[in-house]
Amino acid sequence: MAKRKGTRGGSTPPRPITGQRLLDGWDGPDGGRIRLARAGEAPAVEQLLDLTGVGLDRIHADSIDTGGLAATLRVGLDGGQKQLTRAAATAAAGHDLVTVIPGLSLVLVAEDQDGEPVGALSAVPPASLLKVGAEQGVQGEQLLFFCLVIAKIGAVAVADSARGRGWGTHLLKRAVQVYQQLQYQLLYGQFDADSEPLPRFYSQRGFTPLSQDEGIDLNVLLGLPLGIQPGPDERLFTRWRR
């Protein structure tokens, strides 16, 4: 059988994600759906993320209700990386970099067939790296660059009643697709060092769990002697752009 032109092994490449597709979502397990969080859902998302001990901060809760959540990411999905950079720079002009964070953040919701939220994922700009960079005198334009090539998976949460059905896998898959299309270079996160299931969970989904106390060297990516270190009793996991 002949292979399709432009594909490997005859497989069809994933269809590009649009900003509207992120809002509308994708099919999930058991007739459910994965999509961007909507206005009015901040309390439900916060309750789900609290299961991981991470929670939902006020700036992201507000952006869900005002429609600002992932607004800059959606521009990039529709127009490409140059449009993403331009939109982020415009949003940052004359403002503190904190104002840019909601538009570059992703909060996905897993809803069951009845439309009830049963899972959530948060992905945000690398706050710890921004702080360290600012302390070392890195200028605002370079700090903004950090937000356009690195994202942190803050939490992946699934309600007890919905576990074992693949919701966590679907949430991670869609988040990875968004950031890969936007040409982000690194996705990372952290989990408790004594966790038994999480290293396997992330490794089976394309991430690399690092050993305890092992950090992420960003000198090659950023051209600066900066890195990301795990917190006490935590391990990092990474996924570099292929």
Side-chain angles (χ1 to χ4, degrees), residues 125-138:
S128 61
L129 180 61
L130 297 177
K131 180 180 179 181
V132 172
E135 290 173 347
Q136 295 190 17
V138 178

Side-chain angles (χ1 to χ4, degrees), residues 43-210:
V45 170
E46 183 171 15
Q47 186 175 13
L48 285 164
L49 295 181
D50 279 344
L51 297 173
T52 69
V54 173
L56 182 71
D57 59 33
R58 179 46 50 191
I59 189 172
H60 288 103
D62 290 344
S63 71
I64 291 174
D65 287 335
T66 61
L69 176 69
T72 309
L73 296 180
R74 282 180 273 152
V75 171
L77 291 173
D78 288 334
Q81 190 181 39
K82 289 184 178 179
Q83 289 297 324
L84 171 72
T85 302
R86 184 176 293 115
T90 299
H95 301 284
D96 188 284
L97 193 59
V98 172
T99 63
V100 183
I101 289 177
L104 292 172
S105 298
L106 191 64
V107 178
L108 296 179
V109 166
E111 65 175 16
D112 63 18
Q113 61 182 351
D114 297 320
E116 294 296 323
V118 294
L121 175 148
S122 67
V124 298
S128 61
L129 180 61
L130 297 177
K131 180 180 179 181
V132 172
E135 290 173 347
Q136 295 190 17
V138 178
Q139 299 302 307
E141 184 175 334
Q142 185 87 53
L143 292 176
L144 181 61
F145 173 72
F146 296 173
C147 299
L148 298 176
V149 295
I150 301 173
K152 179 180 181 180
I153 305 296
V156 181
V158 178
D160 291 342
S161 60
R163 291 183 180 176
R165 301 177 188 173
W167 286 111
T169 297
H170 279 72
L171 286 164
L172 268 178
K173 175 183 177 180
R174 298 310 180 184
V176 168
Q177 285 182 325
V178 168
Y179 286 112
Q180 283 188 335
Q181 182 171 318
L182 295 173
Q183 300 183 44
Y184 272 61
Q185 299 302 305
L186 171 65
L187 299 180
Y188 78 98
Q190 60 198 39
F191 54 78
D192 290 340
D194 59 358
S195 172
E196 295 183 4
L198 289 182
R200 183 178 180 182
F201 173 82
Y202 285 110
S203 64
Q204 289 181 338
R205 288 153 184 83
F207 290 82
T208 300
L210 304 185

